[in-house]
Amino acid sequence: MSGQLIVGVNPSNVVQNCEVTAAGHLKMDIASSGGGALSANVDVTGNSIGLATSANQSTGNASLATIAGDTTSLDSKVVVCNTAGVIVTGSALPTGAATESTLSAAEAHLGTIDTSTATASTTLTGISSKLPAALGQDIMSDSLSVVIASNQSAVPVSSAGANVTASSESATPGAGVTTNSTAADMNGFQHVAIFGSTTNTTGDQIEVQFSNDNSTFYTQQNLFASIQSSTGAFGINIDNVAARYVRISQANTTGGSRALTIITSKK
């Protein structure tokens, strides 16, 4: 073996050999308590222990340059970043997202709704003040006006007891003459009474006749006005008349002139 033998002295002043690797590289143990700076020239040829090399440093520098390029664009986007707040100078909104203009329009609509609601509330209050305080029949001043529709069908009406219409007439039929009273039009009425007096008390009955057209009359066989022979007074009361027209009729078969007074009352 050729070469120079290298020896050293340890802290105990004992001579100790210095070893080399199979490739001839110096092996060194650095004490952790040596103290002070260590200066040494070390041959790292072969680099079997993973030390940094020039090639690795060039690769690292390239990576750092790429990172620097990728992060430079952030400088123009991040204006302020602190614990108090974040300022965003620009942001892409999704399709259909609310904007300041659409929110302003919505605010205007809400204001209109608020005004309309207040107006409606005032109107409803006014209407409420005009409604009756309670349901059921009341006097006219506390009731609502009602207008019947222009195409309203017939409405049944009950006549009040005081709604009475009366008429009077007289006749002096000669011998062989039949006297017919003026027909009572029962439209809107339900009851009729025909009464009066006659000087024809010899046996000519006073008949009751009905008609629908005030032209053709039909004698009712079971209805007639009874006559008091002593006074000549007669009368008949007919309830719930279904015919439109009602009259009485008396023939004069006495051979002389007679007199009749006829009163017709309906309600």
Side-chain angles (χ1 to χ4, degrees), residues 41-227:
N41 292 322
V42 180
D43 183 2
V44 294
T45 302
N47 190 20
S48 60
I49 60 174
L51 297 176
T53 64
S54 175
N56 290 337
Q57 289 180 346
S58 297
T59 301
N61 290 339
S63 298
L64 291 173
T66 300
I67 294 172
D70 292 340
T71 56
T72 299
S73 60
L74 293 176
D75 295 339
S76 61
K77 293 181 174 59
V78 179
V79 178
V80 176
C81 183
N82 54 39
T83 58
V86 176
I87 299 175
V88 179
T89 59
S91 177
L93 296 175
T95 303
T99 63
E100 183 176 0
S101 61
T102 57
L103 291 176
S104 297
E107 183 179 7
H109 291 311
L110 290 174
T112 301
I113 293 173
D114 182 60
T115 302
S116 300
T117 302
T119 302
S121 177
T122 302
T123 302
L124 290 174
T125 300
I127 293 174
S128 178
S129 64
K130 293 178 172 58
L131 294 175
L135 299 177
Q137 190 176 29
D138 210 333
I139 60 177
M140 290 187 295
S141 60
D142 291 333
S143 302
L144 294 177
S145 300
V146 177
V147 178
I148 297 178
S150 59
N151 61 343
Q152 176 66 48
S153 57
V155 178
V157 177
S158 297
S159 300
N163 185 21
V164 177
T165 301
S167 61
S168 178
E169 57 186 312
S170 299
T172 55
V177 176
T178 298
T179 301
N180 298 316
S181 67
T182 300
D185 186 352
M186 299 303 296
N187 185 29
F189 297 88
Q190 292 181 307
H191 314 289
V192 62
I194 304 175
F195 51 94
S197 63
T198 179
T199 59
N200 183 358
T201 61
T202 60
D204 293 325
Q205 290 184 344
I206 298 177
E207 300 173 343
V208 176
Q209 297 178 341
F210 293 161
S211 174
N212 191 49
D213 56 9
N214 201 23
S215 176
T216 302
F217 284 84
Y218 301 89
T219 300
Q220 305 305 299
Q221 299 299 322
N222 60 335
L223 289 177
F224 58 89
S226 61
I227 305 172

Side-chain angles (χ1 to χ4, degrees), residues 173-177 200 202 204 252-258:
V177 176
N200 183 358
T202 60
D204 293 325
N252 181 9
T253 62
T254 63
S257 180
R258 295 290 184 267

